Amino acid sequence: MVTTLPNPQPSRHALSEYIYRLENGDALLPDSPGNLVEVVGILHSYG
């Protein structure tokens, strides 16, 4: 016999939104031209 656990309560952790995104394979930042420029700038600063 297989028993299932009830649905867990949503996390109230300060970073839970980001944890859920990582667990689902989603991006941490929404796709937008501004975020793209930020990420490229950061990568460019590392050479």
Side-chain angles (χ1 to χ4, degrees):
M1 174 184 217
V2 176
T3 58
T4 59
L5 299 173
N7 289 335
Q9 295 295 321
S11 175
R12 290 182 283 200
H13 189 277
L15 300 175
S16 63
E17 177 185 350
Y18 301 104
I19 294 168
Y20 290 138
R21 286 183 188 182
L22 287 172
E23 289 175 342
N24 290 325
D26 298 335
L28 291 178
L29 294 172
D31 288 336
S32 73
N35 286 339
L36 177 62
V37 171
E38 291 277 337
V39 170
V40 170
I42 291 168
L43 293 174
H44 181 73
S45 72
Y46 281 99

